[in-house]
Amino acid sequence: MLLTFWAELLRDPRCIGSIIPSGKPLGSAIAREVLVRRPGCVVELGAGTGAITKSLMAIRSQLSDLIVIEKSARLVDLLIKRYPSLNITADCASGLDKLRFPTEEPLTIVSSLPLRSLPYSELNAIRDAIGVLSTRHPGFRFIQYSYFGKVPFVSPGPWLSWAKKQVVFTNIPPATIWVLEQRDEGNVSHE
Ligand SMILES: C[S@@+](CC[C@H](N)C(=O)[O-])C[C@H]1O[C@@H](n2cnc3c(N)ncnc32)[C@H](O)[C@@H]1O
């Protein structure tokens, strides 16, 4: 698992964006965040070796669906071996708005995408796709972790804002969980 991750890191460092997969405590914290509200359909972007996926699988019975989108073909193969029953799509997250998810259910997106190292055009396309999906799905949430407490990216529109959640100090490096959701009084960061 680690060898595949590192081989992919060598092949395309900006796409992988981290020297080690996420740790279990980060996966557990993200799964708890997913369950803060009724999650509905959960889509995981950039699942990598499946460390966060494992925690999402543990709460799968509470989700209306769980779908994984991963760009690296080698990591997709690894994910299929690890989770044969999971709906895994080998695709780029920038096409997310072309996919159709049930509109009668909330939509929760969990992302491990290395947003700060992706090419600017790819980041822009992903951010635009998230903006489009947020207008289609009431109860939309986008959960992302970042390092060094940085806001993941500028909100795609004034109707959404970032809320800073738990910092998982036991992850290497420590990771801050952020949620992009409909703007309300509780949200603190308007970047
Ligand atoms: C930091 S790694 C994921 C770490 C993962 N949580 C783990 O524990 O293995 C980032 C992942 O995002 C994937 N990725 C990068 N850009 C992507 C894109 N545009 N669409 C889908 N996946 C992408 C990479 O292939 C990589 O697997």
Side-chain angles (χ1 to χ4, degrees), residues 15-16 21-22 46-49 51 70-71 75 91-93 112-113 122 145:
C15 178
I16 301 298
S22 322
T49 57
E70 167 56 56
K71 191 166 147 183
L75 289 169
D91 213 340
C92 177
S112 289
L113 294 175
E122 193 171 322
Y145 58 87

Side-chain angles (χ1 to χ4, degrees), residues 3-54:
L3 286 182
T4 310
F5 187 85
W6 284 329
E8 287 300 275
L9 177 64
L10 283 178
R11 190 185 61 79
D12 191 346
R14 290 182 77 184
C15 178
I16 301 298
S18 169
I19 52 165
I20 48 167
S22 322
K24 190 169 183 235
L26 178 59
S28 304
I30 287 180
R32 279 196 300 277
E33 189 57 49
V34 165
L35 294 180
V36 161
R37 293 219 313 256
R38 189 163 72 90
C41 175
V42 173
V43 180
E44 186 189 5
L45 305 179
T49 57
I52 308 287
T53 320
K54 187 173 184 187

Side-chain angles (χ1 to χ4, degrees), residues 55-76:
S55 298
L56 295 176
M57 289 293 277
I59 59 165
R60 197 178 185 181
S61 61
Q62 297 174 72
L63 321 177
S64 66
D65 206 351
L66 177 59
I67 298 164
V68 166
I69 297 174
E70 167 56 56
K71 191 166 147 183
S72 150
R74 285 188 70 184
L75 289 169
V76 166

Side-chain angles (χ1 to χ4, degrees), residues 82-134:
R82 214 174 156 191
Y83 307 108
S85 67
L86 192 56
N87 180 350
I88 302 170
T89 304
D91 213 340
C92 177
S94 56
L96 198 57
D97 55 332
K98 311 285 180 306
L99 303 177
R100 291 285 154 179
F101 305 107
T103 43
E104 65 279 5
E105 288 283 343
L107 179 66
T108 304
I109 299 184
V110 170
S111 164
S112 289
L113 294 175
L115 297 168
R116 296 228 165 228
S117 68
L118 289 182
Y120 197 60
S121 57
E122 193 171 322
L123 171 62
N124 264 346
I126 292 169
R127 194 176 51 194
D128 289 350
I130 289 163
V132 169
L133 282 181
S134 72

Side-chain angles (χ1 to χ4, degrees), residues 116 146-152 164 167 174-178 191:
R116 296 228 165 228
S146 74
Y147 302 127
F148 312 111
K150 290 188 174 152
V151 174
K164 188 176 184 178
V167 181
T176 304
I177 298 174
W178 294 87
E191 221 178 304

